[in-house]
Amino acid sequence: MSAEALDRLAEERVDHRFKGLPPDADGLTVGELAAQRRNLFTGGFATPVLALSAERLEHNLALMETYATRHGLAFAPHGKTSMAPQLFQRQTDRGAWGITLAVPHQVRVARAFGVRRVFLANELVDAAALRWISAELDADPSFRLVCYVDSVRGVALMDAALRGAKRPLDVVVELAAGEGARTGVRTEAECAAVADAVADTRTLRLVGVAGYEGEVPQATPERVHAWLRRLVALAVDFDKAGRFAQADEIVVSAGGSAWFDAVADVFAEIPGLSAPVLKLLRSGAYVSHDDGHYRKITPFNRVPEEGALEPAFRLWTQVVSRPSPEQAFTNAGKRDAAYDLDLPFAQVVRRDGVERPAAGIEVTGLSDQHAWLRTAPEAELEVGDWVGLGLSHPCTSFDKWQLIPVAEADGTVVDYIRTFF
């Protein structure tokens, strides 16, 4: 990645664009503000403010590096979770092969910060985007992009847009996770037809197969393992048929954040093929983890001896109304907190520098700028208290905050993570 581009993030001026930051920091650069090492609770930060735990973030990055290495997996974490180039850098520093993305805008962000390897987990048929990617490939021999193909029609559109390219675009056939699943080719026969269509072009090069096991209908360990074995069998059959003759390595890729243990199990069974195999895992939500959806479904719950991810986000919000003993309202709502999978979880209450568990406090709903709290008789809560909320679904937490403080356990803010959604 480009150190110069990352350094420029520290030169950006703090102002009204960035929620929760201290008003008296306006005009400072992000780097200058970080150097002040202000305290999240006493340094002028305004509620609501989202913070990342410095220690838990580092723990999660290290744990997945260890996991991928232990299981012989290359790792291309899904960057659309955070869209934060600083985290891309930390992931690649931890040995990530590259970054997985979903749409052309995200690739443009990655390239602006010098990402050299991108796995695009979508079929890309937008002609303008394809021409831009082709120009990037032609201009930079070190840049590699691999993307899905999942239809003969899509192959034709890609071929038409890429005519005249100096380098072919590497593609993998996406095998659907089953009937009624999201994208991907439904049958092996149709996969072969798509591969044949790729072979008939000069603009595309077939380098592997891929898919997303998180879409397996009515997923169970048995169903997910069975689908992953279908994916591996497809790679083996394609290789026997000579479909990867132009590939320097054969890509076999899967892995969301719910079943990466199954991916590790099945990918360990991949036999020797005609070229080296890149066993590419793509889990991304691990970087911050969460207190809801992913905490329930993480594979580490099934294999605790592998370790445990830690929720790294906390949204600090302030009580602004206490209309009755059973009810309170804080000043964070849908604009600030992820709510598409689970409501936030009241975890701690902070008053006069002292934190205590948020006993008897439950978030029951979100308005645009308010959280609705139900308070039991044992709840100690007053107007002005800060309430720390745990969040569910990191993908829709990062996208609500453009500049996120990274705080140590004592509240010292040591960095700021810039996001690009």
Side-chain angles (χ1 to χ4, degrees), residues 338-353:
Y339 61 93
D340 58 321
L341 296 181
D342 301 288
L343 288 171
F345 309 91
Q347 295 179 322
V348 295
V349 175
R350 187 177 181 90
R351 183 190 303 164
D352 299 328

Side-chain angles (χ1 to χ4, degrees), residues 268-337:
E269 303 169 0
I270 296 175
L273 300 180
S274 63
V277 179
L278 184 72
K279 304 174 184 180
L280 193 62
L281 181 70
R282 305 196 306 271
S283 312
Y286 82 97
V287 68
S288 63
H289 199 41
D290 72 358
D291 282 290
H293 177 72
Y294 285 105
R295 192 169 194 171
K296 299 173 206 170
I297 67 171
T298 175
F300 290 123
N301 291 340
R302 294 186 290 271
V303 282
E305 64 273 16
E306 296 270 19
L309 295 168
E310 297 178 352
F313 269 136
R314 180 164 283 172
L315 176 62
W316 288 98
T317 181
Q318 195 167 24
V319 179
V320 294
S321 181
R322 189 78 161 96
S324 75
E326 298 80 27
Q327 197 172 38
F329 293 86
T330 71
N331 62 350
K334 293 178 180 178
R335 306 295 182 228
D336 313 298

Side-chain angles (χ1 to χ4, degrees), residues 78-383:
H78 217 312
K80 62 91 176 173
T81 300
S82 69
M83 283 309 297
Q86 291 148 290
L87 296 183
F88 296 172
Q89 178 67 66
R90 292 182 69 171
Q91 289 167 317
T92 54
D93 285 348
R94 290 283 188 176
W97 171 91
I99 300 296
T100 297
L101 299 167
V103 292
H105 156 71
Q106 295 169 357
V107 181
R108 291 191 65 194
V109 172
R111 288 298 291 158
F113 288 88
V115 173
R116 292 186 175 181
R117 290 175 177 163
V118 171
F119 187 97
L120 186 65
N122 246 334
E123 183 169 68
L124 179 57
V125 294
D126 183 283
L130 283 162
R131 287 193 294 268
W132 173 78
I133 286 172
S134 179
E136 289 287 299
L137 290 167
D138 288 348
D140 183 357
S142 69
F143 175 45
R144 185 181 185 194
L145 185 140
V146 179
C147 76
Y148 283 171
V149 286
D150 86 341
S151 64
V152 172
R153 166 70 173 165
V155 169
L157 291 171
M158 296 172 78
D159 182 48
L162 292 170
R163 297 285 171 81
K166 297 176 184 175
R167 288 175 62 188
L169 177 62
D170 286 347
V171 296
V172 290
V173 173
E174 183 194 5
L175 176 67
E179 288 299 325
R182 199 163 59 189
T183 57
V185 187
R186 265 38 184 178
T187 69
E188 280 76 0
E190 292 172 302
C191 286
V194 173
D196 288 340
V198 171
D200 287 340
T201 74
R202 294 184 179 181
T203 58
L204 304 175
R205 180 174 69 156
L206 185 66
V207 298
V209 298
Y212 175 47
E213 76 292 339
E215 284 290 310
V216 170
Q218 301 175 321
T220 63
E222 294 75 21
R223 287 175 180 267
V224 171
H225 278 77
W227 178 81
L228 286 162
R229 290 192 173 100
R230 277 186 65 198
L231 182 69
V232 169
L234 181 66
V236 172
D237 289 346
F238 274 14
D239 191 47
K240 288 179 179 176
R243 297 186 187 279
F244 301 135
Q246 303 304 313
D248 300 320
E249 64 180 0
I250 298 169
V251 178
V252 183
S253 180
S257 295
W259 295 101
F260 56 74
D261 57 330
V263 174
D265 289 344
V266 176
F267 280 15
E269 303 169 0
I270 296 175
L273 300 180
S274 63
V277 179
L278 184 72
K279 304 174 184 180
L280 193 62
L281 181 70
R282 305 196 306 271
S283 312
Y286 82 97
V287 68
S288 63
H289 199 41
D290 72 358
D291 282 290
H293 177 72
Y294 285 105
R295 192 169 194 171
K296 299 173 206 170
I297 67 171
T298 175
F300 290 123
N301 291 340
R302 294 186 290 271
V303 282
E305 64 273 16
E306 296 270 19
L309 295 168
E310 297 178 352
F313 269 136
R314 180 164 283 172
L315 176 62
W316 288 98
T317 181
Q318 195 167 24
V319 179
V320 294
S321 181
R322 189 78 161 96
S324 75
E326 298 80 27
Q327 197 172 38
F329 293 86
T330 71
N331 62 350
K334 293 178 180 178
R335 306 295 182 228
D336 313 298
Y339 61 93
D340 58 321
L341 296 181
D342 301 288
L343 288 171
F345 309 91
Q347 295 179 322
V348 295
V349 175
R350 187 177 181 90
R351 183 190 303 164
D352 299 328
V354 177
E355 282 185 20
R356 63 180 184 278
I361 301 171
E362 179 187 4
V363 179
T364 60
L366 294 177
S367 299
D368 283 353
Q369 297 295 169
H370 292 95
W372 296 58
L373 305 185
R374 179 187 295 129
T375 53
E378 69 270 22
E380 295 182 34
L381 198 65
E382 296 180 357
V383 170

Side-chain angles (χ1 to χ4, degrees), residues 16-37:
H16 60 277
R17 292 171 297 161
F18 304 122
K19 298 189 294 184
L21 299 192
D24 67 352
D26 279 9
L28 296 176
T29 67
V30 172
E32 289 168 343
L33 180 57
Q36 292 182 357
R37 296 177 64 86

